[in-house]
Amino acid sequence: FEIPEHYCALLSKSSWYVLSLMQKLASSGAKFYILERTKLDLKTLIGEAIELFKGNYTCTHPLLRRYKTWESFIVKQDNKVIKQIHELFCRGYSSSDFENSLSKAEASFTENAYILGRVEDAKNMEFNELVLLTDTLEIGAASREDNARIVNGIYTGISRAKNKLYVPGYLESWMKDHLKPK
């Protein structure tokens, strides 16, 4: 994924993707803002992930709480972004590195910056231009309930765009393949 050259909202399903985007934007010196609820989740998730990586730690974040060690978490992951974050941790990424990147975010909402957030945190908001990231289409077990949640997330994300919407190019074929009546 290449970050667009113009300011827009970048919505993801996962705080892992938001961290990845935040790191890219912070290291490039770009202006960005993180939705408040996303920022709160990100602080908890990444803070706990770093502690779990360092050694045994009891996590409370829903994505980590069932794992006793970072190794038990990472071995279950097939997500490229999480693997990249693991590599970042292996290179010594720390809480202070995270806080440093986070401190580069704009303090208040502005359309003159990239807006990063999770789809679920963008409800009741609209953005002039919006990019719906590919992870919003990732599925695990394709139960009827899972499909309903995914479609709901896609709808929520799509409906946040005022003027321009960018979606993964394969959205139409994805919907045909995954949402067939059973």
Side-chain angles (χ1 to χ4, degrees):
F1 172 75
E2 293 296 321
I3 296 171
E5 292 181 12
H6 56 284
Y7 294 135
C8 59
L10 302 162
L11 295 184
S12 172
K13 182 171 66 173
S14 163
S15 289
W16 298 113
Y17 278 72
V18 174
L19 173 66
S20 177
L21 290 169
M22 180 186 79
Q23 289 302 130
K24 287 179 185 179
L25 292 170
S27 66
S28 72
K31 290 174 55 176
F32 65 95
Y33 170 80
I34 302 173
L35 298 178
E36 287 304 315
R37 285 189 46 205
T38 301
K39 190 186 304 182
L40 289 173
D41 184 73
L42 196 61
K43 286 180 176 181
T44 303
L45 174 63
I46 303 310
E48 289 187 7
I50 289 170
E51 291 303 314
L52 190 62
F53 176 81
K54 288 191 223 175
N56 288 340
Y57 179 77
T58 303
C59 296
T60 60
H61 193 280
L63 297 176
L64 298 174
R65 70 172 145 222
R66 68 177 197 231
Y67 299 99
K68 300 277 188 231
T69 65
W70 181 256
E71 292 76 24
S72 64
F73 168 74
I74 206 68
V75 76
K76 299 273 188 187
Q77 306 305 311
D78 62 357
N79 183 298
K80 182 180 172 185
V81 169
I82 294 174
K83 297 287 187 182
Q84 290 170 341
I85 291 167
H86 171 71
E87 291 171 16
L88 188 67
F89 288 1
C90 288
R91 291 192 305 268
Y93 188 81
S94 67
S95 295
S96 60
D97 295 318
F98 172 68
E99 288 299 328
N100 183 45
S101 294
L102 196 59
S103 72
K104 295 177 181 177
E106 298 292 310
S108 58
F109 181 85
T110 174
E111 293 272 350
N112 294 323
Y114 292 100
I115 300 162
L116 306 179
R118 296 180 305 172
V119 170
E120 68 185 86
D121 300 330
K123 291 178 182 174
N124 301 319
M125 301 179 89
E126 288 186 323
F127 309 100
N128 285 328
E129 293 189 32
L130 184 137
V131 175
L132 193 61
L133 299 176
T134 58
D135 74 312
T136 57
L137 304 181
E138 290 176 359
I139 59 172
S143 71
R144 194 171 195 91
E145 292 79 23
D146 288 336
N147 284 340
R149 276 191 290 278
I150 292 166
V151 170
N152 184 41
I154 292 169
Y155 171 77
T156 300
I158 287 171
S159 64
R160 304 301 92 209
K162 281 196 260 185
N163 300 318
K164 289 187 182 178
L165 170 68
Y166 304 92
V167 295
Y170 56 89
L171 179 61
E172 183 179 356
S173 62
W174 178 91
M175 290 185 81
K176 287 178 183 174
D177 290 346
H178 291 91
L179 302 177
K180 293 177 185 171
K182 293 184 179 186

